[in-house]
Amino acid sequence: MPDYVGAIDSGTTSTRFILFDRAGQIVASDQREHEQIFPRSGWVEHDPLEIWQRTCQVIESTLAKANVTAADIAAVGITNQRETAILWDKASGEPVHNAIVWQDTRTDRICRELEENRFGDIFYQTAGLPLATYFSGPKIRWMFDNLPGLRERAEKGEILFGNVDTWLIWRLTGGKHVTDPTNASRTMLMNLETLDWDPQLLKILGIPRQILPEIRPSSDPDFYGLTSVDGPFGAEIPVCGDLGDQQAATVGQTCFSVGEAKNTYGTGCFMLLNTGEQIVHSRNGLITTVCYKMGNSPAVYALEGSIAMAGATIQWLRDSLKLINHASETEEIARSVDDAGGCYLVPAFSGLFAPYWRSDARGVLVGLTRYVNRAHIVRATLESICYQTREVLDAMNADSGVPLTRLKVDGGATVNNFLMQLQADILGQEVIRPQVAETTSLGAAYAAGLAVGFWDNLESLRANWQIDATWQPHSDETTRAEGYAGWKKAVTRTFDWVEE
Ligand code: ADP
């Protein structure tokens, strides 16, 4: 058996390729950003061909760096930004439009019409999701409504749909058109019980079934396909793991038991709670999703609290407001003040996701006085990440009835130790960061490695999870309660901003 498993992590802002060894340790990696395209207010696009190019580049450079060839790699897994929709021409492989990214709000009107026609309940019961611009289904519909002749071509079988996982697998394997239940569960088109495309939901959205990929297990011993010889690996390697990024992080954090949860701090923030083989519908604004499906074992489900703007708000401070030069500066700047000076930033830039699901909301900075300075605003930005997480955690505790006592964290922004302490203070709970912070890639590697017997079973993976650091809450109850009450009030100021 070769010594490594490779994971492609195609994220919202960048693509990574990481080689892992049997202990789940990183052997080599590379990462490249891709362009964020903002054609209009509220619209966010990526170029699918650029994502493919970046993928090839990071694979080639990682193999060169580690002096590893395809023969040393047992399997390849993929994890990806979810919900981002791509349609392409089956014959030429050319995308028909830029990828419409999960953060994009252009499908507002489509979602509103579905709501007015009282389809909300069907989608919620069947797919576990609220009607929101977030998911892929309305994005596909938008392309059919706005690109002349596309529907006819799709009906003739000339067009394929995929989220980024499907697009990359199709390119890597020379044409295998597949996805897994975790990605499919974010399209608004999959039935959570049958784990297949749902004819009624397809009909409501007017989406022809022939454009959709085959749904295969997240870890597939039958392999989705082999990497093609003329691709970036230059040889045939089984491609046999596929998990949406947040589910991959849950697997990478080894949250395999009912009641285990993790929170990932990347572009957005995403908390997932393993609910086992049970499909739990939230009463508190969370969504129901597939957590993973390993081989022939039954699917495991999760409750998810999705927050659209977390690390992306830090990028906005850097790129749009130019208040900072690097994300890492936020730590020192925020530490220089005792609090946020009474101001709150609510980054409802794509509306509000969990637990509110308000597409009419837009961002606010409130509580401003002459006292408030740059450091307060930077601190309020970090606090916004922690307060949004607190709201999701409260919803999760209310839904599950069993309060979480500690929070496992990961993602790019968890390098910020001040943010982690702030999170423990705002939650009043312990926060734990594992040694391998690249849990998303690790989860994809686990899915692929399990499929080829590189690892034996889920339980054996737990030994690879080691604590790096923990943070205990230091704040007192009164300060915590007052701060949270202020946050809740600030959130109400974002509502009803965009005309419905
Ligand atoms: P994704 O996978 O969604 O692209 P990552 O997990 O790579 O995201 O995390 C990148 C995000 O983390 C960026 O939005 C960035 O602003 C944020 N980030 C990186 N370093 C820091 C830091 N030191 N403090 C706060 N946020 C940070």
Side-chain angles (χ1 to χ4, degrees), residues 11-14 16 265-267 311-312 314-315 327-328 330 382 411-413 415-416:
T12 305
T13 52
S14 71
R16 296 172 175 83
Y265 299 72
T267 304
I314 308 287
Q315 288 171 326
S328 57
T330 54
L382 294 181
V415 296
N416 188 324

